Amino acid sequence: MAVKFAYHANCWGPLGGNAVGVTSITQLTYRTFADMDRAFADIARAGYAGVEIFDGNLLDQTPADLRRKLADAGLELVSTYSGGNFIFPDILPEELARIERVAAAAAEAGASHYVIGGGAKRADGIQADDYQRLGEALDRVGEIARRAGLRAHYHPHLSTIVEGPAEVTRIFGLTDLDFCPDTAHLAAAGGDPAAQVREFAGRISLVHLKGLQREPFGFTPLDTGDLDNGAVIQALKDTKYSGWVMAELDSWPDPHEGAARSHAYLQRHFA
């Protein structure tokens, strides 16, 4: 099985968003408040060949500058990650304008994938057509990504309207986007990530692997915690997955150490 290992650069500082996005939706990007040069160096030193970054960090610099920094570190930009509400018609054009800008920059910087999370939870509860609205918006995101030369993936996420396994199955009946499983988010929401990998094997072309500690709740390197990522990897092997495997860890006291531990785990299990 031909797999390559990548790592998300979100562990090297606090996670947040652009504050101006509170009043200007089109500017509402994710970001890691950290030195990306340090993150790239640590990720490469831990043994990875590729990296994913948030859209805010992507837009902080020109695509040419980002390409140069990644080349200096010996890394490939695999993907960028954006989120959105996607269920409110009045702001959807603003969100899609941001997606257009990010997709163009990501493609110019050398990325091949675009990962999308979201689907807002309303203050007064989910409305009957929210999933349909989300599916339609995701298809529009997919069209934007394709025009830029990127492959788009939907990433179910805690705190959105797509958390548990029934919701995951529902949304992928309403959108053509690929499925990017995040094993920790799926498990925390009551899913069986290995079973979900098998269920959607034909729609998986990028994977996020992350460890999960249930009590107290937290994300961990792949070699510890309560989630059996080995079973997920076996499901990927059984379904003949090939492509990028993205390890991820939102926060860790020593980011390089966490990345190195997950890399060693991947090497053992994909051997």
Side-chain angles (χ1 to χ4, degrees):
M1 185 170 88
V3 297
K4 296 181 286 186
F5 301 145
Y7 202 75
H8 202 300
N10 63 350
C11 194
W12 275 258
L15 309 184
N18 286 346
V20 70
V22 174
T23 52
S24 298
I25 294 295
T26 191
Q27 301 298 323
L28 189 52
T29 57
Y30 276 117
R31 65 171 50 256
T32 301
F33 295 95
D35 179 353
M36 287 291 103
D37 291 350
R38 179 196 163 197
F40 296 159
D42 281 353
I43 289 167
R45 186 160 58 97
Y48 296 92
V51 65
E52 179 175 302
I53 62 175
F54 284 137
D55 50 2
N57 297 107
L58 171 76
L59 296 175
D60 276 345
Q61 56 209 301
T62 69
D65 285 343
L66 180 56
R67 270 184 178 271
R68 187 162 49 251
K69 290 179 180 180
L70 290 168
D72 289 345
L75 292 174
E76 177 179 338
L77 180 62
V78 176
S79 48
T80 193
Y81 184 102
S82 291
N85 293 274
F86 296 133
I87 64 168
F88 304 119
D90 284 352
I91 67 168
L92 183 59
E94 299 298 306
E95 294 184 311
L96 294 178
R98 172 169 52 86
I99 297 294
E100 290 261 14
R101 191 166 73 254
V102 173
E108 191 176 345
S112 50
H113 299 274
Y114 196 170
V115 183
I116 302 293
K121 286 187 174 181
R122 299 175 187 265
D124 57 355
I126 298 172
Q127 294 185 5
D129 60 352
D130 281 350
Y131 288 96
Q132 186 67 39
R133 290 181 188 273
L134 175 58
E136 292 171 357
L138 292 176
D139 283 346
R140 293 180 68 180
V141 170
E143 292 170 7
I144 292 169
R146 281 191 291 274
R147 288 199 300 268
L150 304 175
R151 188 160 188 166
H153 314 255
Y154 180 64
H155 175 305
H157 202 287
L158 297 173
S159 81
T160 73
I161 62 172
V162 183
E163 295 180 324
E167 296 160 351
V168 172
T169 298
R170 182 176 185 179
I171 196 59
F172 285 105
L174 296 170
T175 180
D176 291 332
L177 260 62
D178 280 3
F179 172 36
C180 178
D182 180 307
T183 53
H185 281 268
L186 293 172
D192 178 343
Q196 288 168 293
V197 164
R198 296 178 192 279
E199 178 183 358
F200 294 103
R203 296 181 67 171
I204 297 175
S205 54
L206 181 65
V207 179
H208 280 195
L209 297 185
K210 184 159 53 184
L212 172 67
Q213 176 180 286
R214 295 186 182 277
E215 190 61 42
F217 182 86
F219 298 127
T220 69
L222 297 179
D223 63 354
T224 189
D226 304 312
L227 172 56
D228 182 8
N229 274 295
V232 178
I233 291 172
Q234 187 59 54
L236 291 170
K237 290 180 175 180
D238 291 346
T239 56
K240 296 180 170 53
Y241 175 80
S242 63
W244 288 101
V245 173
M246 182 78 60
E248 184 182 7
L249 181 56
D250 292 359
S251 177
W252 198 249
D254 182 341
H256 171 261
E257 185 254 356
R261 285 170 56 179
S262 288
H263 188 269
Y265 182 94
L266 291 172
Q267 284 189 308
R268 288 197 305 274
H269 283 79
F270 277 103

